[in-house]
Amino acid sequence: MKYEIVTLKEKIVVGLSARTNNLSPDMGAVIGGLWNRFYNEGIYASIPEKANNKALGIYTDFENDERSDYTVMTACETTAEPEGDEYARYDVRRIPAGRYARFIVHGDMVKAVASAWQEIWQMDLPRTFQCDFEEYQDDNMEHSEIHIYVGLH
């Protein structure tokens, strides 16, 4: 699977998060549930100061293997951190600046991403296991373009 090395600046992201594990039988329900809430409860629409129209799937707080628990987040990048009590329902995080392997995937939004991650887990990349994320370039479920970023040392 082809990729390019890119250097990213820090990103402020705002959305919803949960804990899961790649081997958990409810992993798909946890992640799918976050995406469902993110769009169907109006979270995405209500986040202020979006940097762009792209949605992000973010994976953080995990150890060095695919069996450990991690935090998954559905979010969007913002130009500033939201302030005030009305934003208390959001989770705010920062995607760290640094080097990332960027994979570009095309196809069915769910199947293409799942297949790409299966391949990425098999690759011998010098991963940081600090933060990986998907950046959805559009909202076309069947013919989407998704950029997957894997944090590198």
Side-chain angles (χ1 to χ4, degrees):
M1 187 169 190
K2 292 171 48 174
Y3 63 91
E4 69 175 315
I5 305 293
V6 297
T7 302
L8 299 179
K9 294 179 180 176
E10 181 181 75
K11 298 176 184 288
I12 300 169
V13 295
V14 178
L16 302 172
S17 64
R19 295 283 290 167
T20 192
N21 178 305
N22 282 355
L23 301 179
S24 174
D26 70 344
M27 179 195 72
V30 169
I31 295 172
L34 278 179
W35 284 109
N36 185 42
R37 288 183 54 216
F38 189 61
Y39 284 108
N40 293 334
E41 292 180 13
I43 303 296
Y44 174 83
S46 68
I47 292 173
E49 301 184 57
K50 288 183 193 71
N52 53 51
N53 292 324
K54 299 172 185 176
L56 304 172
I58 305 163
Y59 309 93
T60 62
D61 306 325
F62 48 97
E63 297 175 22
N64 294 355
D65 65 54
E66 62 185 286
R67 295 176 299 279
S68 66
D69 286 351
Y70 56 88
T71 299
V72 61
M73 184 174 189
T74 55
C76 55
E77 182 181 357
T78 61
T79 57
E81 221 169 289
E83 297 178 11
D85 291 341
E86 69 269 28
Y87 302 117
R89 67 181 174 155
Y90 302 124
D91 293 321
V92 179
R93 292 193 176 239
R94 294 178 186 275
I95 294 175
R99 288 176 8 107
Y100 290 80
R102 181 176 71 175
F103 299 83
I104 299 176
V105 179
H106 294 94
D108 176 271
M109 200 175 278
V110 175
K111 292 176 186 172
V113 169
S115 176
W117 276 114
Q118 287 178 353
E119 286 188 54
I120 291 167
W121 274 106
Q122 302 305 314
M123 298 176 77
D124 187 25
L125 295 170
R127 296 180 65 179
T128 62
F129 290 98
Q130 185 178 14
C131 182
D132 300 331
F133 66 99
E134 304 147 2
E135 182 181 67
Y136 294 85
Q137 306 301 305
D138 54 55
D139 60 359
N140 185 328
M141 290 296 292
E142 295 163 2
H143 304 288
S144 189
E145 179 175 321
I146 305 105
H147 297 184
I148 299 175
Y149 294 86
V150 176
L152 301 177
H153 288 287

